[in-house]
């Protein structure tokens, strides 16, 4: 799943460099996921991740791509998307926060959104900017979406 995302992201970045068609990336992390595993067990944690994956696929377009990025992190690739990416991310956040999860009842996520920029030297720059925004969201209260700053020149 992660390998397929890496390939899709590389393709989208190269397409952007050639055509200028912008795309966006969302990285999301489940808030307080360790508490889920510690309190309810890893089987319940797995069910929570599966439920989140289902909610993610229901919240995006057919042309978008979602993958588990590692641990309790997911990454969403939004081709042909610019500033509307923040709206998609908020839809994801609220769909997850409003959903009832098995055993644990409610789960929230924090999200970082990055939009492709001419100053990005590779798709890794985009991932890094989204990741920084994600951790800013987590460090400022969780259950929120933050847009990454454009790269510095």
């Amino acid at each position: 799943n992660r390998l397929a995302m890496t390939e899709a992201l590389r393709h989208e970045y190269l397409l952007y460099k050639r055509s200028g068609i912008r795309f966006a990336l969302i990285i999301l992390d489940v808030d307080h996921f360790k508490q889920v595993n510690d309190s309810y067990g890893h089987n319940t944690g797995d069910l929570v991740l599966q439920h989140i994956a289902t909610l993610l696929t229901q919240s995006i377009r057919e042309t978008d791509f979602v993958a588990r990025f590692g641990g309790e992190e997911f990454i969403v690739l939004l081709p042909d998307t610019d500033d509307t990416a923040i709206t998609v991310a908020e839809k994801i956040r609220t769909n997850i926060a409003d959903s009832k999860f098995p055993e644990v009842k409610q789960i929230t996520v924090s999200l970082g959104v990055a939009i492709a920029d001419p100053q990005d030297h590779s798709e890794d720059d985009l991932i890094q900017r989204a990741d920084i925004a994600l951790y800013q969201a987590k460090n400022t209260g969780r259950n929120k979406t933050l847009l990454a700053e454009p790269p510095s020149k």
Side-chain angles (χ1 to χ4, degrees):
N1 205 357
R2 187 176 174 147
L3 177 60
M5 172 57 81
T6 301
E7 291 172 358
L9 181 56
R10 179 70 182 157
H11 172 80
E12 203 60 38
Y13 175 77
L14 293 173
L15 183 64
Y16 167 68
K17 284 299 192 183
R18 189 186 70 200
S19 68
I21 298 172
R22 294 177 80 188
F23 70 98
L25 190 68
I26 301 169
I27 298 180
L28 67 99
D29 186 77
V30 181
D31 296 330
H32 305 293
F33 188 71
K34 184 178 180 334
Q35 291 176 359
V36 172
N37 280 336
D38 290 351
S39 299
Y40 300 97
H42 290 275
N43 287 337
T44 298
D46 289 345
L47 292 174
V48 165
L49 293 176
Q50 290 169 7
H51 189 72
I52 287 172
T54 299
L55 291 170
L56 282 169
T57 57
Q58 292 171 352
S59 301
I60 59 175
R61 304 168 298 190
E62 285 186 40
T63 56
D64 299 335
F65 193 94
V66 64
R68 189 163 168 206
F69 198 51
E72 65 275 8
E73 284 189 333
F74 291 85
I75 189 167
V76 182
L77 176 62
L78 305 171
D80 194 14
T81 305
D82 53 19
D83 297 336
T84 59
I86 199 80
T87 303
V88 174
E90 269 300 291
K91 178 182 176 185
I92 290 168
R93 187 191 63 75
T94 58
N95 284 350
I96 291 171
D98 293 345
S99 183
K100 299 294 181 228
F101 284 79
E103 290 191 47
V104 297
K105 305 299 181 237
Q106 186 186 31
I107 293 290
T108 62
V109 294
S110 299
L111 304 94
V113 180
I115 301 167
D117 185 278
Q119 297 299 316
D120 290 320
H121 298 292
S122 73
E123 62 275 14
D124 292 335
D125 289 350
L126 202 66
I127 291 172
Q128 183 178 15
R129 291 191 301 109
D131 203 44
I132 289 169
L134 163 67
Y135 281 95
Q136 288 172 339
K138 289 186 108 34
N139 291 333
T140 58
R142 301 179 193 266
N143 190 27
K144 63 170 62 173
T145 302
L146 287 180
L147 181 62
E149 295 289 324
S152 53
K153 296 181 181 183

